[in-house]
Amino acid sequence: MSTKSESKGTKKATTGYLHGFTRDEQDRLYHQARFLEHRVHEGLPLRRAKNLIEIGCGVGAQTDILLRRHPDLHVTGVDASADQLERARKHLRSLPWAKGRAQFVQGDAGQLKFAADSFDSAFLCWILEHVPDPLLVLSEARRVLRPGSQIVVTEVLNATFFLEPYSPHTLAYWMAFNDHQLELGGDPFVGAKLGNLLQAVGYRDIEVEVKPIHLDNRFPGERAEFIAYWSELLLSGAPGLAKAGKVSAATVAGMKRELEEVAHNPNAVFFYSFVQARAQVL
Ligand SMILES: C[S@@+](CC[C@H](N)C(=O)[O-])C[C@H]1O[C@@H](n2cnc3c(N)ncnc32)[C@H](O)[C@@H]1O
């Protein structure tokens, strides 16, 4: 069953947002962005970009990093949530390097309030997984980008998660988490489809890179950090899942036990892959 809603024949671009907008969840986004910074931001094709649109900017956690890494960049952040944008503005005001270089606009990614050819680059990170019609969002992004612009899209591929030792409660919870996101109209597997989606709306020179995070005894420190980070991510969805009747208290408790075990097991393995795509507007 999907809660995708349509009105007058046009798909609505906003869906139920799985994680919610609590202060803890907003803090998690800052932590997540910094934690994954080197994997998401290294080598981005934004050297010549001056005027970037960040679609689904949330609390400005990626905006912060984009402005720090690209000193000539100006960022226009768009998000559907006024609460996220309020936090983003406050955060950016606290950063000396961001002064006068960012603006935030409330709006729907499927109906951008900008004229055609307004920007020379676009950055989307962990947003397509939350929208019911990613084609519409990518097509809107293309409309507001000038010829020659670069788009960078980073997305989840939740089917790739694996833990050693085997953790059945955690996997049951994970499947419930993914099912719930699908029912809300999102797509926890959208990363695998980025090439198709970008091609379908006419982007060119599409490159899709699968980014594996494979942590075992070779990287004990990073493995421990990742398991802690991942536990935070899993638990951030727990109140929503419990409220929707998708997981039992016993499953959540079992998952907590298993994650503790994984964290202390000398032969633990953490595996997950996300996907990053780059493409051009011609
Ligand atoms: C997981 S957060 C990611 C935020 C940011 N990109 C980051 O990496 O920290 C997803 C964001 O997408 C926003 N969002 C979801 N659907 C949207 C839509 N249709 N239009 C604009 N923003 C949307 C949510 O409000 C939320 O702030």
Side-chain angles (χ1 to χ4, degrees), residues 21 29 41 48 92 120 126 200 237 241 277 282:
F21 304 109
L29 289 176
H41 286 265
R48 299 213 313 278
L92 270 280
D120 66 12
W126 322 131
L241 284 178
L282 287 189

Side-chain angles (χ1 to χ4, degrees), residues 13-14 52-57 76-80 104-119 121-124 127-128 131 134-145 151 203:
T14 307
L52 178 141
I53 180 166
E54 185 188 354
I55 302 173
C57 62
T76 298
V78 178
D79 201 280
F104 293 99
V105 178
Q106 190 177 5
D108 189 331
Q111 246 184 319
L112 295 173
K113 299 170 187 164
F114 304 100
D117 299 350
S118 293
F119 301 94
S121 44
F123 181 86
L124 290 77
I127 174 184
L128 291 186
V131 303
L135 276 179
L136 177 64
V137 173
L138 291 175
S139 153
E140 267 298 89
R142 183 166 180 261
R143 182 184 64 78
V144 301
L145 287 172
I151 184 169
Y203 287 91

